[in-house]
Amino acid sequence: MKTKAARSLPYLRGYEVVRRLTGYEPNPPQERFHRDGTRHRIVAYGRQTGKTHGAAIEALAGSLGTEGQPRPVWWVLAPTYDGLQEIWEHVRQWAADSELKTLVARITSQKGNMECEIVRAGVLRGKSADDPDNLRGPALHGLVIEEA
């Protein structure tokens, strides 16, 4: 049986890569969240504590995947399109303005088609729950729910 630390090791490699490439400096609660190896995590911090910022990093790290594993598909899900735009702006900005752009094959930011494809890795898609029928799709490797 794998230990918690062993299960999280491949993911932490992705987190460290994204952190280095984006220049992300987490605050102490964010760092605990990112290093927690449990499968399901809930963040309940106060206002302006970096929840959205950390969620974007989490999704990007997961979409890098693990060598030798199937190509991961991750979603960022928000209750409304407006909420999705807020978190997607972080993803879009890092993909354009940081060293992360060296790993981004393609990024789209149009309503109904928010997708960030990572070179030789996975894909991150932005989804809103405005229309629940749009939440159908392939099996996911990871999901970040914003403002649930």
Side-chain angles (χ1 to χ4, degrees):
M1 183 170 160
K2 291 183 178 181
T3 66
K4 182 170 132 178
R7 281 194 316 265
S8 65
L9 185 61
Y11 163 76
L12 282 176
R13 287 189 198 119
Y15 166 66
E16 292 299 337
V17 168
V18 170
R19 182 177 173 178
R20 184 173 30 88
L21 293 177
T22 61
Y24 173 65
E25 289 298 328
N27 61 38
Q30 288 170 320
E31 184 69 21
R32 281 192 304 274
F33 169 71
H34 292 303
R35 296 207 176 271
D36 183 327
T38 58
R39 183 173 178 192
H40 300 103
R41 292 171 280 165
I42 296 174
V43 176
Y45 302 147
R47 292 174 42 95
Q48 301 297 307
T49 54
K51 297 179 298 289
T52 298
H53 207 85
I57 289 289
E58 191 77 7
L60 282 166
S63 66
L64 285 180
T66 305
E67 194 172 320
Q69 297 296 317
R71 187 169 186 238
V73 176
W74 275 65
W75 280 9
V76 173
L77 176 65
T80 65
Y81 178 72
D82 289 342
L84 177 60
Q85 281 183 303
E86 184 179 345
I87 193 169
W88 198 258
E89 180 57 25
H90 290 291
V91 173
R92 192 209 54 76
Q93 186 175 354
W94 286 319
D97 301 334
S98 75
E99 291 183 43
L100 183 67
K101 66 184 171 192
T102 61
L103 296 181
V104 175
R106 169 180 70 78
I107 186 162
T108 56
S109 298
Q110 293 85 25
K111 186 173 184 174
N113 185 26
M114 292 184 171
E115 186 170 288
C116 180
E117 188 174 344
I118 309 295
V119 175
R120 293 187 312 276
V123 63
L124 174 61
R125 293 189 178 111
K127 298 282 188 172
S128 83
D130 284 335
D131 182 359
D133 285 337
N134 291 335
L135 300 180
R136 296 181 184 153
L140 301 177
H141 291 86
L143 172 68
V144 172
I145 302 173
E146 175 74 354
E147 301 290 339

